[in-house]
Amino acid sequence: MDRLLPWLRLQLTPGLGRVGLMHLIEHFKTPEQALDAAGRGWPRLPGLRENLAAMVPEASFPRVQSACSCLDSMGGWMLSFWDPDYPQILRQIPDPPVLLYGCGSLPEGPALAIVGTRHPTDFGRVFTEQLAEELAVAGVVVISGLARGIDAAAHRGTLNGGGRTLAVLGCGIDRIYPAENRRLYQQIIEQGALLSEYPPGTEPLPGHFPGRNRIISGLSKATLVIEASRDSGSLITAEFALEQGREVIAVPGGVDHQTSYGPNLLIKQGAHPITEAQEILEILGIGKHDNKPPELAQPSLFQLPEPAGSVLNKLDLTPRHCDELAGESGLTPMELSAILLQLELHGYADKLPGGRYIRGRRPH
Amino acid sequence: MDRLLPWLRLQLTPGLGRVGLMHLIEHFKTPEQALDAAGRGWPRLPGLRENLAAMVPEASFPRVQSACSCLDSMGGWMLSFWDPDYPQILRQIPDPPVLLYGCGSLPEGPALAIVGTRHPTDFGRVFTEQLAEELAVAGVVVISGLARGIDAAAHRGTLNGGGRTLAVLGCGIDRIYPAENRRLYQQIIEQGALLSEYPPGTEPLPGHFPGRNRIISGLSKATLVIEASRDSGSLITAEFALEQGREVIAVPGGVDHQTSYGPNLLIKQGAHPITEAQEILEILGIGKHDNKPPELAQPSLFQLPEPAGSVLNKLDLTPRHCDELAGESGLTPMELSAILLQLELHGYADKLPGGRYIRGRRPH
């Protein structure tokens, strides 16, 4: 924590931004030496206003103290741009964070950002989870922003696949935002890491999210956009990815869904269109090309006698309500629900909220 | 009808196909002279079996007579490849029809093929109708195959927009197939034309449809695929369009619909993804160009020279087999074929039979 204090005093100096801090350290080599020099005033450097040195808070300043003790109590850590453990891929972006606060252990390996709307369709959510799970199994590190919707589904799918995931926040890593992702937040610390360029205690202000997005894309070889309406922040992430010379990947969507606007726009602009995990592995340059992911679970008409086979035949990736299935199959709701449960247990069907079902991807 | 009779006698000669008929007329200049020579036997020409001349039916042969009187009673017409009114754009395809039977008047102007599944979603049907109507208003001639589903919606939308539409049939133009399109069939004659390379009286045999598809794409500057499942004939039309050096356009669709498979596949292979009529007008080179969607600096194939650049460098006018190119470039066959397809789509490479490639003559 002794190491942390001078960094926090500099970062929490009002009016000292990323560019000024970067130049200050390039000039003085260490934060301690920059602080020592503050009494005499700092030289003219890009991003440093005149008399800024007078604004440096004391070590006893409450915000400095609380950020310090908060990180300590969480078991968190801080990396500076000059630290050998600072992610190499992030050093290459035009505007790398000077400081990264984290909790958990930074996963290594090829990383994919998965981002999208906070209001996905049921299909989009399930598709994201399944895709992230397949990618996790193939060894991909999945990076996202812990927002509700596609972000949460991407983290959740990765965790389900036993994979490693990294959540980049637009607030301090001590803030659980949105609160509904509390459980996910805990699991991510255990199976990956939380990361933020904002010191602990920072609120999730709207202005923080574009900066957060550049870190998400900047840590990733490619950014995948799944469902994003016209004003989705994930389109900003995709633009950062392009600026950073990274690949952009998008899942095409039906013209009749607002959430298809973003991915379809990106595809028109040259993003890779993909519909399967295998295609992403190829873009990332990993995985065996002959090791195709399993197709939709086929009714091998194994142990399940009729009418289970014909119920399964009515299922594809368009959610169907069980009442509708009951009507069509001529089964009583009780008979049908027993069959659907069997199909679900064997991985042939997935249950969605509201009593709807789709075909499962993978028999387990 | 005097003009028609010798053509029909030749075309209805059992065993005389398109290639043989083409060479016969190139050799004898007129069908009358080819018939006159039949008594002495025909010379050895490509596509002509020995003793084929003996198979020429008499002018009184019932099929010849009925095709003739059927065309007469419909007010139809016939064009041969050498006729000045034969569509110039169709002369340029590798295997142009020798004879075209038609009814109505052949519309002139920039033409777009709109094709797709016979079993569209409700959205797909409505989208197709609206799109075709907008294109019709902008002066585009819409060409399709009068099948049920997307084809019918494309014709209907064009007619609704007061536009001109052309239906290319896989049967004689006297056959209304499918029967449900009877009203559409009548309207198309009034507002455009029916067209077929098969003489009147020909049944809609399955084997006729691929040939019909090459005429649909061959008459069009671009082929648009809207909703097509894995086995849709419209994917064959799109392949013909590529072979013919025409543009391929597709409407992206949700991964949860079987009918999105075809368009999404085409987009992955390099087809133009579009969601609005205006984008099609731009591809066809009509309408306003100043409201283009902004291009992002996505590393597209031709901005990223490697490895596409080195594959292109291996191509000249000597045909090279793709296996040989794969060996030299160190790419997997899948990587190489994706690059070759891109090069082909952009006019930098031409594909020859047997998996061989040469450098393309004209980048479009």
Side-chain angles (χ1 to χ4, degrees):
Chain A
M1 287 303 117
D2 285 351
R3 190 179 145 265
L4 187 59
L5 208 61
W7 282 115
L8 276 167
R9 288 181 63 199
L10 287 175
Q11 192 178 26
L12 292 171
T13 299
L16 179 56
R18 201 190 60 77
V19 173
L21 181 54
M22 188 68 101
H23 282 94
L24 210 51
I25 302 301
E26 293 285 358
H27 184 85
F28 287 107
K29 306 305 172 203
T30 69
E32 290 82 356
Q33 289 176 13
L35 290 173
D36 283 350
R40 305 184 296 277
W42 286 327
R44 298 195 68 130
L45 290 169
L48 290 193
R49 279 209 321 263
E50 228 174 318
N51 302 327
L52 191 65
M55 308 295 287
V56 174
E58 290 306 311
S60 59
F61 184 69
R63 194 64 220 284
V64 173
Q65 286 292 330
S66 72
C68 220
S69 62
C70 172
L71 202 66
D72 194 26
S73 68
M74 286 183 75
W77 38 260
M78 190 217 71
L79 288 173
S80 84
F81 182 78
W82 301 271
D83 201 303
D85 290 340
Y86 186 96
Q88 183 54 29
I89 191 171
L90 193 58
R91 277 212 186 87
Q92 297 160 358
I93 73 172
D95 45 4
V98 179
L99 300 176
L100 287 174
Y101 299 90
C103 189
S105 66
L106 270 184
E108 285 178 16
L112 175 76
I114 301 184
V115 294
T117 178
R118 280 173 289 119
H119 307 288
T121 64
D122 286 334
F123 171 77
R125 195 176 44 69
V126 171
F127 180 83
T128 304
E129 274 193 34
Q130 291 179 341
L131 193 78
E133 185 170 339
E134 282 184 61
L135 292 169
V137 169
V140 175
V141 175
V142 171
I143 301 184
S144 195
L146 199 65
R148 58 169 68 90
I150 297 296
D151 282 22
H155 291 301
R156 197 176 298 116
T158 312
L159 295 169
N160 291 347
R164 298 151 303 151
T165 189
L166 187 53
V168 186
L169 310 183
C171 53
I173 57 167
D174 56 316
R175 299 295 164 114
I176 302 177
Y177 176 82
E180 70 196 55
N181 285 342
R182 177 173 298 275
R183 197 161 147 258
L184 207 48
Y185 172 97
Q186 283 302 340
Q187 288 176 311
I188 290 170
I189 294 176
E190 284 157 30
Q191 256 176 267
L194 301 169
L195 206 64
S196 175
E197 69 177 322
Y198 302 105
T202 306
E203 297 293 333
L205 301 178
H208 293 168
F209 288 86
R212 184 272 306 252
N213 294 352
R214 92 183 191 288
I215 302 178
I216 291 177
S217 59
L219 283 163
S220 308
K221 286 182 78 168
T223 290
L224 169 65
V225 178
I226 304 177
E227 292 196 344
S229 44
R230 203 175 285 257
D231 56 353
S232 170
S234 56
L235 296 180
I236 297 175
T237 314
E239 266 185 65
F240 279 124
L242 288 180
E243 262 179 52
Q244 295 162 352
R246 311 291 165 80
E247 300 290 335
V248 176
I249 310 174
V251 178
V255 182
D256 49 342
H257 286 94
Q258 291 187 342
T259 52
S260 301
Y261 179 88
N264 288 347
L265 178 69
L266 293 172
I267 290 169
K268 288 176 195 176
Q269 293 173 335
H272 298 275
I274 68 96
T275 54
E276 290 175 17
Q278 182 59 30
E279 295 165 318
I280 296 173
L281 296 178
E282 280 164 22
I283 293 166
L284 294 177
I286 53 180
K288 289 169 204 136
H289 289 233
D290 49 355
N291 183 10
K292 284 260 176 201
E295 294 283 314
L296 286 185
Q298 290 304 318
S300 57
L301 292 182
F302 53 122
Q303 320 89 326
L304 282 185
E306 282 308 323
S310 38
V311 171
L312 181 53
N313 279 337
K314 296 189 192 308
L315 293 179
D316 57 21
L317 294 176
T318 306
R320 311 228 26 211
H321 196 275
C322 53
D323 290 350
E324 199 185 324
L325 292 167
E328 284 183 19
S329 60
L331 298 168
T332 67
M334 187 167 294
E335 288 166 343
L336 180 72
S337 76
I339 287 167
L340 286 170
L341 182 61
Q342 282 296 319
L343 291 173
E344 197 188 342
L345 287 173
H346 287 85
Y348 287 93
D350 281 342
K351 189 177 182 178
L352 301 177
R356 285 163 313 152
Y357 288 82
I358 58 172
R359 186 171 285 208
R361 283 251 165 156
R362 228 174 341 96
H364 2 100
Chain B
M1 288 303 119
D2 286 350
R3 190 177 145 265
L4 187 60
L5 207 61
W7 282 114
L8 277 167
R9 288 180 64 198
L10 288 175
Q11 192 178 26
L12 292 171
T13 299
L16 178 57
R18 200 190 60 76
V19 173
L21 180 55
M22 188 68 101
H23 282 94
L24 211 50
I25 302 300
E26 294 285 358
H27 183 85
F28 287 107
K29 306 304 172 202
T30 68
E32 289 83 355
Q33 288 173 14
L35 289 173
D36 284 349
R40 304 184 296 277
W42 286 327
R44 299 195 68 130
L45 290 169
L48 289 193
R49 280 208 322 261
E50 227 174 319
N51 302 328
L52 192 66
M55 307 295 288
V56 175
E58 289 307 310
S60 60
F61 184 68
R63 199 57 226 284
V64 172
Q65 286 293 329
S66 72
C68 220
S69 61
C70 172
L71 202 67
D72 194 27
S73 68
M74 286 182 76
W77 37 261
M78 189 216 70
L79 288 173
S80 84
F81 181 79
W82 300 272
D83 201 302
D85 290 341
Y86 186 97
Q88 183 54 29
I89 192 171
L90 193 59
R91 276 212 187 88
Q92 297 161 357
I93 74 172
D95 45 4
V98 179
L99 300 176
L100 288 174
Y101 299 88
C103 189
S105 66
L106 270 185
E108 285 179 18
L112 174 76
I114 301 184
V115 294
T117 177
R118 279 174 290 119
H119 307 288
T121 64
D122 286 337
F123 171 77
R125 195 176 42 70
V126 170
F127 179 83
T128 303
E129 273 193 35
Q130 290 177 343
L131 194 79
E133 186 170 340
E134 281 184 64
L135 293 169
V137 168
V140 175
V141 174
V142 171
I143 301 184
S144 195
L146 199 64
R148 57 168 69 91
I150 297 296
D151 282 23
H155 291 301
R156 198 177 297 117
T158 312
L159 295 170
N160 291 346
R164 298 152 302 152
T165 189
L166 186 54
V168 185
L169 310 184
C171 53
I173 57 168
D174 57 317
R175 298 295 163 113
I176 302 178
Y177 175 80
E180 69 197 55
N181 285 340
R182 177 173 299 277
R183 198 162 145 257
L184 207 48
Y185 172 97
Q186 282 303 337
Q187 288 176 311
I188 291 171
I189 295 177
E190 283 156 30
Q191 255 176 267
L194 301 170
L195 207 64
S196 175
E197 71 177 321
Y198 302 104
T202 307
E203 295 295 332
L205 301 179
H208 293 168
F209 288 87
R212 183 273 304 254
N213 293 353
R214 92 182 191 288
I215 302 178
I216 291 177
S217 59
L219 283 163
S220 308
K221 286 182 80 167
T223 290
L224 168 65
V225 178
I226 304 177
E227 293 195 343
S229 44
R230 205 175 283 256
D231 55 353
S232 171
S234 56
L235 296 179
I236 297 175
T237 314
E239 264 183 66
F240 279 124
L242 286 181
E243 262 181 50
Q244 294 162 352
R246 310 292 164 79
E247 302 290 335
V248 177
I249 311 175
V251 178
V255 182
D256 49 343
H257 286 93
Q258 292 186 341
T259 51
S260 301
Y261 179 87
N264 288 347
L265 177 70
L266 293 171
I267 290 169
K268 288 176 195 176
Q269 292 173 335
H272 299 275
I274 67 96
T275 54
E276 289 173 19
Q278 182 58 32
E279 296 164 317
I280 296 173
L281 295 178
E282 281 163 21
I283 294 166
L284 294 178
I286 50 184
K288 291 169 201 138
H289 287 252
D290 48 357
N291 48 6
K292 276 219 172 215
E295 289 272 326
L296 292 187
Q298 169 74 357
S300 91
L301 201 57
F302 296 101
Q303 287 159 340
L304 264 193
E306 286 319 319
S310 40
V311 172
L312 182 54
N313 281 337
K314 295 187 194 307
L315 292 180
D316 55 22
L317 295 179
T318 308
R320 310 221 37 205
H321 196 273
C322 53
D323 288 350
E324 197 185 325
L325 292 167
E328 284 183 20
S329 60
L331 298 168
T332 67
M334 186 172 293
E335 288 164 346
L336 181 72
S337 76
I339 288 167
L340 285 170
L341 182 61
Q342 284 291 326
L343 291 171
E344 195 188 341
L345 286 171
H346 287 83
Y348 287 92
D350 281 340
K351 188 178 181 179
L352 302 178
R356 287 164 314 149
Y357 289 82
I358 56 172
R359 180 158 303 205
R361 294 264 171 144
R362 59 194 142 74
H364 6 97

